[in-house]
Amino acid sequence: MRASLIQIGVDEDESVDSRRRRVAALVRDQDDADLVVLPELWTTGAFAFESFAEAAEPLEGATYEAMAKAASDTGVWLHAGSIPERDPDGTLYNTSLVFSPSGDLAAVYRKIHRFGFDKGEAVLMGAGSDLVTLRLSETTVGIATCYDLRFPELFRGLVDAGAEMFVLSAGWPERRRSHWTLLAQARAVENQAYVLACGTAGTHAGVPQAGHSIVVDPWGEVLAEAGPDEEVLTVDLDPTRVATTREQFPALKDRLLGLETPRR
Ligand SMILES: O=C(O)CCC(=O)C(=O)O
């Protein structure tokens, strides 16, 4: 399986419409890939909180249309990153969209862990509640978004649902880049699964982005890592390595299920 992670540079001087066209063209250039991955909130920038409400789209809005077409024109699976979605009830969500090579919607994931503590996304957006997996070229893929990377229980839940590969879109800040790399490797090692984590480049609302999109194999080895700027990171993966790693080092079988949280 060949995967291309498009680490988009989000520049506030570029309009959302023009970025959408530019990203669709970048997706179309990846016609030798099986899977293309985009970052979190690349239409607005992940830290451009003030523009979320105005830029929010219905699920099947302009980004959905453009990305469904880019996927079908190119014949690739496309994790189109996330959009600020406005639900019909008015709630905003940070929503990831995955399209099949025929351009059909294959998965929708609303980010569960919202970032910002008592401000930003955490107060402006609603929280998703559903773990999401999909079958993609004989592999079960679990979806996660940015801050979710800090919550190992989410990834364990995805493993319990069959995940062999995690695809994560992010807008991770440069300031905590060391956590990004460490956590991507940790999620791969502890779950014996591939991690494909696609971030952004540039500075969003004054927050410099880490870039450094990364692909980690089920043994925790970094297969490919981007630099800080806009870049397409392409890597060839062997999805059967998940089963062999889990057979040869069967640590997941030693989980103690049903451990209770101690009472205080
Ligand atoms: O956890 C972090 O350090 C970054 C998370 C983040 O930027 C986000 O989820 O948007």
Side-chain angles (χ1 to χ4, degrees), residues 167-221:
V167 178
L168 176 129
S169 283
W172 198 276
E174 165 61 22
R175 191 153 175 263
R176 294 183 293 279
R177 175 152 70 87
S178 60
H179 296 188
W180 163 257
T181 313
L182 186 67
L183 291 168
Q185 287 187 270
R187 297 296 84 89
V189 171
E190 73 199 356
N191 296 299
Q192 304 182 301
Y194 280 101
V195 172
L196 280 63
C198 182
T200 47
T203 295
H204 309 173
V207 180
Q209 295 292 293
H212 285 266
S213 296
I214 191 166
V215 176
V216 189
D217 78 7
W219 195 247
E221 301 289 342

Side-chain angles (χ1 to χ4, degrees), residues 40-41 46-47 94 111 113-115 121 145-148 150 170-173 176 179 183:
E40 180 188 26
L41 297 177
F47 283 84
N94 184 340
K111 185 178 183 183
H113 300 96
R114 296 158 301 165
F115 184 62
E121 180 188 37
T145 308
C146 204
Y147 188 46
D148 284 334
R150 294 186 181 274
W172 198 276
R176 294 183 293 279
H179 296 188
L183 291 168

Side-chain angles (χ1 to χ4, degrees), residues 164 192 218 238-249:
E164 301 160 295
Q192 304 182 301
D238 174 5
T240 65
R241 286 216 41 227
V242 175
T244 49
T245 304
R246 289 178 181 179
E247 270 159 38
Q248 287 166 6
F249 194 84

